[in-house]
C-alpha cells in the first residue's frame, strides 16, 4: 500500500479517486505542529534549537497517519508546491520518524493543479524534500518567533494597552499610520476650473480652459473665485475657433494572469472581497480542481495552458482577437521567487464554476487569464485645440474611441483611483476641422479643493507592500487580519483607519526600534530569506546576524522605566500632540486650569494627554487627538452646562469605551454614551440622551407602553419584551405612535430571534459557510449577539467581542452548535412535559441543558486563538 499525504480532506478525496486502488490518501488538515507559544521555543544560545509541539486538535489526525504509515510500503508527500507545503511535508516526515513509523521509501511530489492529468504526471516524477525551502521556512518561522516573543513582553511592560508586534505586521501598520499622518497634515487648497459646453453637428461636447491671458493653466492656477469668474466671462464673450485637430492611434496591452497579490487587489476592487476571503474562496476553487495553485508570484502560464487559451479565444471570437504569437510575461514584483504558474483555470472551455462567491471569483480568474493571451486593444485619442481671436485664451477637448476592443471585449483591469483625465477622455468627439466654430451652449466655473491622499484599501495596501518587497503575497491576508483582530486598525467603507493603539505602537517602535520597522530593513530580510531558499545563504547565519543586534536593543529598552518611555514618547511626538498654535500661545498650556502643562501619560487602558496639576485639574485628552481640539475635545472633561431640573453639571468625558455624558458626580451620577451619528454635541442633545428611555405612548392593542432608547447595538423600540431596530439616533426622539406600531409589527412579522432582536439587518457579513454554503451573518439577538448561516444559530461566548469575531471563529461556533443537535434536546423535553406532576421539575431542568451548549461553543474557538 502507498500512503499519500495532502493538506485538505477535499483534496484527499479527489486525489484518491484519481490514483485508484493501492493508494490511500490522508489529509493533515494543514500544519500538524508549531512552535509552542511560550519562551524558549527557539533558543539562540543553543545554535537556534527549536522545539515543536503537536496542535491539540491534531492528535487523532496524526494517529491515523501514523497507523497508516506503519502499514505502508511507500510514503508520498504531496502537499502544496510552495515553502509552506514543503514545511508541512517535512513536519510529517520528522514526526513519523520519531514515532518509528516511517516507511523505507519516502518521496515528495508536487502538482500545480488538482486534475487527473496533473496528479498522475506528478506521481511519475517524484523527488526528495527540498532542504533549501525547508531551511527558508525554519529561518522565517524562527525569525518571526524571536521578533514577536522578544518584543511583545517589552510592549506589555512599557507601553499601556499594547498587545503584540510582528516583523511584517508592524511595518504594514506603519504604512497605515503614516498615511493617517499625511492626511492630518494635509492643507486643502482651493482651485477653479472653467469648462465650456460646445456643440458641433448636433453633438455636444466639453472643452476645458487650458490657457488664460497667454499663460498655460496648471491645476491650481485659478486659485480664487474672482479670477475664475473673469476667465469664465472671457470664454462666454469670446469666439473660439478650431485651430488644431490631432488624432493619435494608441494600443493597450492586456495584463498578465493573476498572481496572489494581484488577485487579492482585483477581488477587492471588483468584488469587494477582503484578502482573507479571497484566499479562502480561491482555496476552495483549487481543491475542486477548477484553478491552479493560488499562492504564487509567477505571471507565466504553462505552454499547454497557453495553447488551450488560444483555442478558447479562436472558438469564441474571430481571428483578429488572437495575436500571431503567444504572449509571455515577466514579473515586476520585487522579491518574486516562486517558480509556479500564474493563477489560471485548469480548463479554459469552462467559463463557469460553482455558485455565489466561488462563481464570481472563478469568472474573474477565467476572464483575466483568457484576456492575457488576446490581441491588444486599438484606440484613437483625439485632441481638439480651440483659440479665441486674441490667441491668449485656449480651450481643449479630448476624446477617445475604441477602434478594435481586442482583450477589452473580455476584461479590463480595475483601478484604485480615477483621475479627471479619465473623465475628459471618456467621451466621443464630433467630427471637426480647423476653422470650425462650434456653438456655445454654456460656460461653467466650478470650485474644487485639493484632496488628501486616500487611505489605504486592502487592494492598495497589498500593492504597496508588494512594491516595497515586504512580506510574501501568501501571508498578506493573515497579516492584515491580525491588525484588525488586535484592534490596531479598523475598516470603514473598505478603507483602513489607524486606531489609537495602533498609532501609539507605531510611535513606540519608531522611537525605540526604528531600524526594525524600516521598510528597507524588512525588505532586506526578505532578500536574505530568498537567498536561503535559493541555497545561497545559511539560515542560521541569517538568524545570528539579526539576533546579534536585536537582543541588546530589546534588553536596553526593557531596562527603562515605563515613565521614562512615556517621557521620551512625549518628546518624540511633540510636533504631533502639541503643534504650534496660530495665535502663538503655548500649545502645552492646559485649556481648563490655564496654569498646568499638558504631557503624555500612560494608563491602564492606554496613553492619553493630561494636565500636570492632576488631581486638582482632571483635564484629559485622547492620545490620538492631535494638537488637541480646543477645550478638551473628545478626551477632556468638559462642562456643557447645567441641568435645569437638578441644577447639576452636565459634563462630557471619555472612558475606556469612548466618549460619554455624565450628570452629577459619584455613585448617583447618571451617564449616557454618545452615539457616533450625532454631529455637534451641545447641552440640548446631552439632556435628551440622559433622559432615555423615552416613552412614546401606550400600544393600542396590548395597553403596554412603547419606549425608545439606545442600546449596545444602536437605537431601538421596545414593547412587551419585543424589539424593533431604528436606523438613527434622531429617530429615538422623533418616532411617533403610528410609526412605532408599524415598525414593531414589521419586526415581529420577520419571525425568529434575529427579527425580534434587531430586525433583519446583520451587524456584519462573514462570507459563505464552507459546508452549508449559506451566508454567515453576525446578528444582534434579544439575548445577545449570535452568528447564523441561515440554518444554525450560535450564540457568541460572553468573553467574545462581536467586532473582533473572525470568519474562522464564526464557522467553528456554528459547527459546534450544529454538532450538539438542538432537535435532540427538544425531543427529550417533549415526553417530560406530558407528565403533569413533573411539569415544574422539567421547567427547572430546561435551562441546565442549555448551559453546556454555551461552554462547548466557548471551547470551539480555542484552536483559532492558538493558531494565531
Amino acid at each position: 500500500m502507498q500512503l499519500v499525504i495532502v493538506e485538505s480532506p477535499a483534496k484527499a478525496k479527489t486525489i484518491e479517486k484519481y490514483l485508484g486502488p493501492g493508494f490511500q490518501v490522508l489529509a493533515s488538515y494543514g500544519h500538524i505542529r508549531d512552535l509552542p507559544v511560550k519562551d524558549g521555543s527557539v533558543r539562540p544560545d543553543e545554535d537556534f534549537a527549536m522545539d515543536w509541539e503537536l496542535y491539540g486538535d491534531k492528535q487523532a489526525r496524526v494517529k491515523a497517519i501514523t497507523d497508516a504509515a506503519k502499514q505502508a510500503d511507500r510514503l508520498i508527500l504531496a502537499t502544496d508546491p510552495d515553502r509552506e507545503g514543503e514545511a508541512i511535508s517535512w513536519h510529517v516526515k520528522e514526526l513519523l520518524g520519531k514515532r518509528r513509523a516511517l516507511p523505507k521509501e519516502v518521496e515528495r511530489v508536487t502538482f500545480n493543479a488538482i486534475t487527473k492529468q496533473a496528479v498522475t504526471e506528478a506521481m511519475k516524477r517524484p523527488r526528495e524534500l527540498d532542504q533549501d525551502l525547508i531551511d527558508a521556512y525554519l529561518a522565517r518561522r524562527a525569525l518571526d518567533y524571536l521578533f514577536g516573543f522578544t518584543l511583545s513582553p517589552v510592549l506589555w511592560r512599557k507601553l499601556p494597552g499594547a498587545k503584540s508586534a510582528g516583523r511584517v505586521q508592524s511595518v504594514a501598520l506603519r504604512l497605515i499610520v503614516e498615511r493617517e499622518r499625511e492626511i492630518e497634515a494635509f492643507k486643502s487648497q482651493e482651485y477653479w476650473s472653467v469648462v465650456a459646453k460646445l456643440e458641433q453637428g448636433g453633438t455636444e461636447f466639453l472643452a476645458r480652459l487650458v490657457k488664460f491671458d497667454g499663460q498655460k493653466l496648471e491645476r491650481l492656477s485659478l486659485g480664487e473665485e474672482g479670477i475664475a469668474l473673469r476667465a469664465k466671462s472671457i470664454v462666454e464673450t469670446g469666439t473660439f475657433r478650431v485651430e488644431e485637430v490631432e488624432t493619435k492611434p494608441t494600443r493597450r496591452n492586456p495584463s498578465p494572469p493573476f498572481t496572489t497579490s494581484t488577485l487579492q487587489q482585483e477581488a477587492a476592487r471588483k468584488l469587494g472581497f477582503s484578502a482573507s476571503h479571497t484566499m479562502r474562496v480561491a482555496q476552495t476553487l483549487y481543491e475542486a480542481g477548477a484553478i491552479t495553485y493560488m499562492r504564487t508570484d509567477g505571471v507565466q502560464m504553462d505552454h499547454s495552458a497557453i495553447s488551450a487559451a488560444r483555442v478558447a479565444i479562436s472558438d469564441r471570437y474571430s481571428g483578429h482577437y488572437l495575436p500571431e504569437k503567444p504572449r509571455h510575461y515577466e514579473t515586476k514584483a520585487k522579491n518574486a521567487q516562486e517558480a509556479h504558474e500564474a493563477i489560471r483555470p485548469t480548463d479554459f472551455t469552462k467559463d463557469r464554476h460553482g455558485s455565489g462567491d466561488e462563481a464570481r471569483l472563478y469568472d474573474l480568474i477565467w476572464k483575466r487569464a483568457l484576456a492575457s493571451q488576446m490581441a491588444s486593444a486599438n484606440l484613437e485619442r483625439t485632441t481638439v485645440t480651440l483659440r479665441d481671436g486674441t490667441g491668449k485664451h485656449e480651450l481643449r477637448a479630448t476624446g477617445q474611441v475604441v477602434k478594435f476592443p481586442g482583450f477589452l471585449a473580455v476584461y479590463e483591469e480595475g483601478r484604485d483611483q480615477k483621475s479627471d483625465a479619465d473623465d475628459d477622455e471618456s467621451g466621443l468627439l464630433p467630427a471637426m476641422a480647423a476653422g470650425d466654430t462650434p456653438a456655445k451652449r454654456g460656460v461653467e466655473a466650478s470650485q474644487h479643493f485639493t484632496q488628501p491622499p486616500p487611505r489605504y484599501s486592502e487592494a492598495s495596501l497589498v500593492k504597496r507592500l508588494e512594491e516595497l518587497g515586504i512580506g510574501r503575497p501568501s501571508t498578506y491576508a493573515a497579516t492584515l487580519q491580525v491588525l484588525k483582530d488586535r484592534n490596531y486598525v479598523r475598516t470603514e467603507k473598505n478603507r483602513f483607519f489607524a486606531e489609537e493603539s495602533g498609532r501609539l505602537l507605531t510611535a513606540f517602535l519608531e522611537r525605540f526600534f526604528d531600524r526594525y520597522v524600516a521598510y528597507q530593513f524588512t525588505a532586506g530580510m526578505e532578500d536574505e530569506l530568498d537567498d536561503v531558499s535559493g541555497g545561497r545563504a545559511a539560515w542560521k547565519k541569517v538568524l545570528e546576524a539579526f539576533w546579534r543586534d536585536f537582543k541588546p536593543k530589546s534588553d536596553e529598552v526593557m531596562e527603562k522605566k515605563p515613565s521614562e518611555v512615556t517621557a521620551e514618547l512625549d518628546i518624540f511626538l511633540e510636533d504631533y500632540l502639541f503643534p504650534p498654535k496660530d495665535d502663538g500661545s503655548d500649545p502645552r498650556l492646559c485649556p481648563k486650569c490655564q496654569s498646568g502643562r499638558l504631557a503624555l501619560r500612560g494608563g491602564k487602558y492606554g496613553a492619553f494627554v493630561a494636565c500636570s496639576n492632576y488631581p486638582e485639574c482632571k483635564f484629559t485628552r485622547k492620545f490620538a487627538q492631535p494638537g488637541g481640539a480646543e477645550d478638551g475635545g473628545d478626551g477632556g472633561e468638559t462642562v456643557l452646562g447645567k441641568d435645569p431640573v437638578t441644577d447639576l453639571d452636565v459634563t462630557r468625558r471619555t472612558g475606556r469605551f469612548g466618549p460619554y455624558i455624565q450628570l452629577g458626580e459619584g455613585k448617583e451620577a447618571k451617564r449616557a454614551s454618545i452615539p457616533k451619528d450625532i454631529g455637534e454635541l451641545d447641552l440640548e442633545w446631552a439632556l435628551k440622551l440622559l433622559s432615555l428611555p423615552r416613552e412614546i405612548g401606550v400600544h393600542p392593542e396590548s395597553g403596554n407602553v412603547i419606549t425608545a432608547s439606545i442600546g449596545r447595538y444602536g437605537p431601538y423600540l421596545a414593547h412587551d419584551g419585543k424589539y424593533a431596530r431604528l436606523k438613527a439616533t434622531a429617530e429615538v426622539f422623533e418616532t411617533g405612535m403610528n410609526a412605532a406600531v408599524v415598525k414593531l409589527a414589521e419586526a415581529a412579522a420577520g419571525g425568529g430571534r434575529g427579527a425580534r432582536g434587531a430586525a433583519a439587518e446583520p451587524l456584519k457579513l462573514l462570507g459563505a459557510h464552507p459546508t452549508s454554503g449559506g451566508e454567515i451573518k453576525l446578528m444582534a439577538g434579544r439575548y445577545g449577539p449570535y452568528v447564523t448561516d441561515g440554518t444554525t444559530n450560535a450564540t457568541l461566548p460572553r468573553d467574545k467581542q462581536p467586532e473582533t469575531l473572525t470568519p474562522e471563529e464564526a464557522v467553528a461556533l456554528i459547527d459546534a452548535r450544529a454538532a450538539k443537535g438542538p432537535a435532540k434536546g427538544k425531543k427529550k423535553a417533549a415526553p417530560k412535559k406530558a407528565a403533569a406532576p413533573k411539569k415544574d421539575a422539567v421547567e427547572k431542568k430546561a435551562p441546565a441543558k442549555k448551559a453546556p451548549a454555551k461552554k462547548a461553543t466557548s471551547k470551539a474557538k480555542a484552536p483559532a486563538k492558538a493558531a494565531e
Side-chain angles (χ1 to χ4, degrees):
M1 188 267 290
Q2 300 184 60
L3 175 63
V4 181
I5 303 298
V6 296
E7 289 97 335
S8 75
K11 192 174 172 182
K13 186 177 181 181
T14 304
I15 292 173
E16 191 166 75
K17 180 179 66 177
Y18 291 154
L19 295 177
F23 289 87
Q24 182 180 4
V25 185
L26 295 179
S28 68
Y29 286 77
H31 275 284
I32 58 172
R33 62 182 189 173
D34 196 6
L35 297 169
V37 186
K38 63 181 182 181
D39 289 336
S41 295
V42 178
R43 298 183 294 282
D45 295 338
E46 299 177 27
D47 197 28
F48 295 97
M50 303 168 74
D51 292 332
W52 300 99
E53 181 180 70
L54 196 66
Y55 283 121
D57 60 346
K58 295 295 176 70
Q59 297 284 353
R61 179 58 40 193
V62 171
K63 185 180 185 303
I65 292 173
T66 303
D67 292 343
K70 289 178 179 178
Q71 306 300 318
D73 304 314
R74 179 188 180 206
L75 174 65
I76 303 169
L77 301 166
T79 49
D80 287 342
D82 61 2
R83 191 154 45 200
E84 288 300 309
E86 207 74 18
I88 292 172
S89 289
W90 175 77
H91 278 298
V92 171
K93 181 182 176 183
E94 287 283 302
L95 197 61
L96 291 177
K98 287 185 176 182
R99 297 188 175 192
R100 298 182 180 180
L102 198 65
K104 291 183 179 179
E105 193 175 353
V106 180
E107 292 177 322
R108 170 87 165 110
V109 300
T110 59
F111 32 82
N112 198 41
I114 305 176
T115 62
K116 186 171 185 178
Q117 180 181 352
V119 172
T120 53
E121 286 293 323
M123 290 295 174
K124 297 175 185 176
R125 299 189 304 275
R127 62 170 173 83
E128 293 183 354
L129 283 170
D130 189 325
Q131 192 59 47
D132 290 335
L133 284 181
I134 294 167
D135 287 348
Y137 160 77
L138 294 173
R140 182 181 292 276
R141 192 67 196 88
L143 189 64
D144 289 340
Y145 172 91
L146 291 173
F147 190 99
F149 270 81
T150 305
L151 192 53
S152 293
V154 177
L155 296 176
W156 301 335
R157 291 172 175 80
K158 310 302 176 185
L159 194 67
K163 297 175 182 176
S164 70
R167 186 177 60 88
V168 175
Q169 107 190 21
S170 297
V171 179
L173 176 61
R174 183 182 181 182
L175 281 170
I176 296 170
V177 170
E178 286 190 341
R179 178 55 54 87
E180 201 75 31
R181 293 171 185 164
E182 290 174 25
I183 293 170
E184 289 168 351
F186 181 82
K187 293 184 178 180
S188 184
Q189 289 181 271
E190 178 187 10
Y191 69 98
W192 292 71
S193 64
V194 177
V195 177
K197 184 182 289 185
L198 307 177
E199 182 184 316
Q200 176 77 10
T203 301
E204 289 189 347
F205 63 98
L206 301 178
R208 185 180 296 269
L209 182 66
V210 294
K211 191 175 182 181
F212 179 59
D213 278 345
Q215 299 294 319
K216 181 182 177 182
L217 294 181
E218 302 295 341
R219 188 184 185 192
L220 303 177
S221 295
L222 301 179
E224 298 176 4
E225 183 179 14
I227 299 174
L229 293 178
R230 188 164 71 87
K232 175 187 175 185
S233 177
I234 289 174
V235 174
E236 286 175 332
T237 58
T239 301
F240 286 82
R241 290 185 174 83
V242 175
E243 292 288 333
E244 186 181 351
V245 178
E246 182 183 19
T247 301
K248 284 185 178 180
T250 60
R251 289 165 65 87
R252 283 181 60 187
N253 296 321
S255 300
F258 283 128
T259 62
T260 301
S261 63
T262 55
L263 177 63
Q264 291 174 3
Q265 293 169 43
E266 197 72 340
R269 295 186 193 109
K270 292 191 171 179
L271 305 179
F273 289 179
S274 67
S276 56
H277 185 60
T278 297
M279 296 311 292
R280 281 196 299 273
V281 177
Q283 178 83 36
T284 305
L285 291 172
Y286 168 65
E287 291 176 356
I291 64 171
T292 54
Y293 192 53
M294 66 287 164
R295 292 185 176 90
T296 174
D297 290 329
V299 292
Q300 188 57 272
M301 294 196 298
D302 182 78
H303 292 298
S304 61
I306 292 175
S307 299
R310 288 173 65 84
V311 170
I313 294 166
S314 62
D315 288 345
R316 285 174 167 80
Y317 303 95
S318 69
H320 297 294
Y321 287 83
L322 189 66
E324 292 183 10
K325 296 180 180 179
R327 293 185 179 276
H328 294 275
Y329 297 93
E330 292 184 5
T331 183
K332 296 179 182 178
K334 187 178 179 182
N335 290 335
Q337 61 165 13
E338 308 292 359
H340 306 139
E341 277 192 85
I343 304 169
R344 63 165 176 86
T346 55
D347 187 350
F348 277 96
T349 63
K350 296 180 179 178
D351 58 0
R352 290 184 180 86
H353 177 88
S355 60
D357 287 351
E358 283 183 36
R360 297 169 69 198
L361 191 64
Y362 179 83
D363 180 67
L364 202 65
I365 294 169
W366 183 86
K367 286 179 177 177
R368 173 85 166 221
L370 192 72
S372 72
Q373 288 299 320
M374 292 179 70
S376 301
N378 294 329
L379 304 95
E380 189 176 80
R381 184 172 290 118
T382 302
T383 303
V384 180
T385 303
L386 305 95
R387 296 192 185 95
D388 70 345
T390 67
K392 293 182 178 181
H393 314 296
E394 190 175 293
L395 298 173
R396 181 176 298 158
T398 55
Q400 184 172 275
V401 61
V402 177
K403 291 293 186 180
F404 171 66
F407 76 92
L408 292 175
V410 175
Y411 182 86
E412 182 173 8
E413 187 175 24
R415 280 176 286 183
D416 293 316
Q417 281 185 287
K418 194 175 181 181
S419 66
D420 294 337
D422 296 328
D423 292 328
D424 290 345
E425 295 179 0
S426 61
L428 181 63
L429 298 178
M432 285 180 280
D436 287 348
T437 307
K440 210 177 294 170
R441 297 299 180 216
V443 181
E444 287 188 4
S446 303
Q447 183 186 38
H448 310 277
F449 293 93
T450 55
Q451 298 297 311
R455 287 183 172 85
Y456 284 110
S457 62
E458 284 211 0
S460 58
L461 184 58
V462 165
K463 183 178 181 181
R464 185 62 181 143
L465 288 169
E466 187 179 40
E467 288 172 349
L468 292 169
I470 293 170
R472 303 270 7 118
S474 59
T475 65
Y476 289 154
T479 298
L480 301 186
Q481 191 60 49
V482 168
L483 294 180
K484 297 176 189 176
D485 292 345
R486 299 283 185 267
N487 292 324
Y488 290 150
V489 300
R490 71 180 189 278
T491 53
E492 292 181 11
K493 297 180 180 178
N494 295 322
R495 296 284 174 174
F496 284 108
F497 287 74
E499 293 284 25
E500 196 171 317
S501 56
R503 299 191 68 142
L504 184 61
L505 172 60
T506 298
F508 175 85
L509 295 175
E510 287 176 325
R511 171 60 186 86
F512 297 105
F513 295 91
D514 57 323
R515 180 187 177 196
Y516 303 100
V517 289
Y519 303 136
Q520 289 182 338
F521 173 82
T522 310
M525 288 302 303
E526 294 297 340
D527 290 336
E528 293 186 49
L529 291 170
D530 289 344
D531 287 340
V532 174
S533 65
R536 298 180 296 276
W539 70 281
K540 291 184 180 180
K541 294 290 184 184
V542 172
L543 291 177
E544 284 173 7
F546 166 78
W547 190 246
R548 187 168 51 245
D549 295 326
F550 183 71
K551 183 62 167 67
K553 183 64 177 176
S554 61
D555 290 343
E556 176 190 331
V557 179
M558 183 65 91
E559 290 175 2
K560 292 180 179 291
K561 296 178 180 178
S563 58
E564 292 175 336
V565 170
T566 304
E568 290 192 43
L569 286 176
D570 178 78
I571 298 170
F572 182 73
L573 292 166
E574 185 169 28
D575 290 341
Y576 167 67
L577 294 173
F578 312 107
K581 292 191 174 184
D582 294 336
D583 60 5
S585 60
D586 184 0
R588 285 183 178 263
L589 183 67
C590 177
K592 185 173 183 179
C593 68
Q594 293 295 314
S595 62
R597 303 230 340 132
L598 302 181
L600 189 67
R601 295 284 184 268
K604 184 178 179 181
Y605 303 114
F608 60 96
V609 173
C611 178
S612 58
N613 285 339
Y614 180 85
E616 289 76 17
C617 177
K618 295 182 180 179
F619 174 85
T620 60
R621 189 178 76 212
K622 280 174 143 183
F623 162 77
Q625 191 175 325
E630 298 299 329
D631 299 327
D634 285 343
E637 181 184 321
T638 306
V639 177
L640 299 174
K642 288 188 179 292
D643 176 22
V645 178
T646 63
D647 201 37
L648 295 173
D649 283 341
V650 177
T651 55
R652 186 187 194 282
R653 308 181 182 207
T654 295
R656 180 184 177 186
F657 302 107
Y660 66 95
I661 313 154
Q662 181 169 308
L663 173 64
E665 297 289 344
K667 294 181 180 180
E668 302 301 320
K670 188 171 184 180
R671 299 175 181 87
S673 296
I674 302 174
K676 291 182 178 180
D677 61 348
I678 291 181
E680 285 190 29
L681 180 75
D682 54 18
L683 180 61
E684 182 182 356
W685 260 115
L687 293 173
K688 281 184 178 181
L689 294 171
L690 289 165
S691 70
L692 295 177
R694 167 187 168 237
E695 289 192 7
I696 295 176
V698 176
H699 195 286
E701 295 179 5
S702 68
N704 294 327
V705 174
I706 301 175
T707 61
S709 192
I710 300 172
R712 184 178 181 184
Y713 300 107
Y716 66 94
L717 297 172
H719 164 253
D720 205 15
K722 297 181 180 179
Y723 303 86
R725 196 172 184 178
L726 297 175
K727 292 182 179 179
T729 301
E731 291 188 24
V732 174
F733 305 99
E734 296 171 357
T735 302
M737 176 60 71
N738 292 338
V741 170
V742 170
K743 287 179 182 291
L744 287 164
E746 289 174 350
R753 182 168 143 196
R756 291 194 301 271
E761 185 180 344
L763 300 174
K764 190 176 182 182
L765 297 176
L766 297 164
H769 191 284
T771 305
S772 70
E775 178 107 51
I776 301 176
K777 299 176 182 178
L778 173 64
M779 307 293 289
R782 181 178 177 184
Y783 302 107
Y786 68 97
V787 287
T788 179
D789 64 348
T791 304
T792 303
N793 296 349
T795 304
L796 265 63
R798 290 184 178 180
D799 61 347
K800 183 64 185 175
Q801 294 297 321
E803 57 271 15
T804 66
L805 183 72
T806 65
E808 291 80 7
E809 291 172 330
V811 171
L813 288 171
I814 291 171
D815 290 349
R817 187 69 188 91
K820 294 297 172 185
K824 292 180 181 178
K826 290 180 181 178
K827 287 179 182 177
K828 288 179 183 177
K832 291 183 180 180
K833 278 190 175 182
K838 296 184 180 181
K839 183 177 180 182
D840 293 340
V842 172
E843 288 178 350
K844 289 179 182 177
K845 288 180 181 180
K849 289 188 177 183
K850 291 183 180 179
K854 284 195 174 182
K855 289 181 181 177
T857 304
S858 181
K859 288 180 182 177
K861 72 165 190 170
K865 276 196 171 181
E868 290 177 8

